[in-house]
């Protein structure tokens, strides 16, 4: 009898279940002593230290510049009012008022909460030339910036949901 579910379909289902389980379980293996939503002082923490603290999925994206699968992130079609913070260190990154709907597969914003919330770095991986967006406090990879966003900036900060924490304005 033939298998009803192909190997490829099984892998996709497994990945989606894993992503969902991760998004509900928090980002840390152990308590993160560097996480603060009020401290903006830059951090100098080794990747070896971050690897002890962060869950593997967050570590892979934030510290190794991986990318979560498009259309799977918890904040892609999320539409609440509040503030998005770096999931690694707690640095304030974006206000929900700068988030906009897009078909790119990742949450997108047209401007950071403040100028030094993020840093930029040339990225020539995958034979492309892009601009990588890093957390201004802990240098974690957040995503990339493109010049096809809405007014007033014309920018699209295309971010990985796994690298974001969200706090509602209602809290």
């Amino acid at each position: 009898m033939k298998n009803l579910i192909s190997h490829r379909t099984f892998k996709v289902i497994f990945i989606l279940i894993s992503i969902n389980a991760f998004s509900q379980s928090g980002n840390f293996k152990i308590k993160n002593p560097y996480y603060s939503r009020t401290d903006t002082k830059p951090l100098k923490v080794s990747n070896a230290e971050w690897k002890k603290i962060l869950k593997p999925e967050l570590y892979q994206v934030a510290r190794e510049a991986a990318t979560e699968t498009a259309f799977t992130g918890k904040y892609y079609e999320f539409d609440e009012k509040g503030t998005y913070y770096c999931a690694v260190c707690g640095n304030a990154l974006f206000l929900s008022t700068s988030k906009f709907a897009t078909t790119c597969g990742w949450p997108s914003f047209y401007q950071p909460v403040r100028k030094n919330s993020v840093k930029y770095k040339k990225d020539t991986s995958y034979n492309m030339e892009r601009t990588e967006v890093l957390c201004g406090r802990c240098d974690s990879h957040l995503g990339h910036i493109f010049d096809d966003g809405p007014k007033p900036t014309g920018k699209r900060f295309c971010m990985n949901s796994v690298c974001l924490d969200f706090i509602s304005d209602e809290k």
Side-chain angles (χ1 to χ4, degrees), residues 54-116:
L54 304 176
K55 293 245 178 143
E57 296 85 351
L58 178 57
Y59 180 84
Q60 185 179 20
V61 176
R63 304 309 303 175
E64 295 180 340
T67 301
E68 69 187 358
T69 305
F71 307 103
T72 63
K74 61 186 171 186
Y75 298 123
Y76 171 60
E77 291 185 322
F78 185 80
D79 193 29
E80 285 188 34
K81 300 297 179 207
T83 304
Y84 293 85
Y85 296 85
C86 175
V88 173
C89 73
N91 185 38
L93 299 171
F94 303 97
L95 297 176
S96 61
T97 53
S98 72
K99 189 173 190 280
F100 63 97
T102 179
T103 58
C104 71
W106 295 274
S108 296
F109 305 86
Y110 62 79
Q111 70 185 11
V113 73
R114 62 185 188 283
K115 188 176 180 177
N116 61 351

Side-chain angles (χ1 to χ4, degrees), residues 44-63:
K44 297 296 179 202
V45 179
S46 71
N47 277 346
E49 180 70 11
W50 284 127
K51 196 166 194 169
K52 293 176 192 173
I53 297 168
L54 304 176
K55 293 245 178 143
E57 296 85 351
L58 178 57
Y59 180 84
Q60 185 179 20
V61 176
R63 304 309 303 175

Side-chain angles (χ1 to χ4, degrees), residues 105-139:
W106 295 274
S108 296
F109 305 86
Y110 62 79
Q111 70 185 11
V113 73
R114 62 185 188 283
K115 188 176 180 177
N116 61 351
S117 289
V118 297
K119 297 178 186 178
Y120 306 96
K121 179 179 164 187
K122 184 177 180 179
D123 178 2
T124 57
S125 62
Y126 304 106
N127 296 318
M128 294 186 278
E129 189 168 313
R130 303 178 289 175
T131 302
E132 180 181 11
V133 179
L134 304 168
C135 174
R137 182 167 181 248
C138 70
D139 292 325

Side-chain angles (χ1 to χ4, degrees), residues 5-23 57 69 72:
I5 299 177
S6 72
H7 180 68
R8 177 179 247 171
T9 303
F10 177 78
K11 281 177 70 174
V12 169
I13 292 169
F14 178 77
I15 289 168
L16 291 174
I17 290 169
S18 297
I19 290 169
N20 185 50
F22 170 70
S23 69
E57 296 85 351
T69 305
T72 63

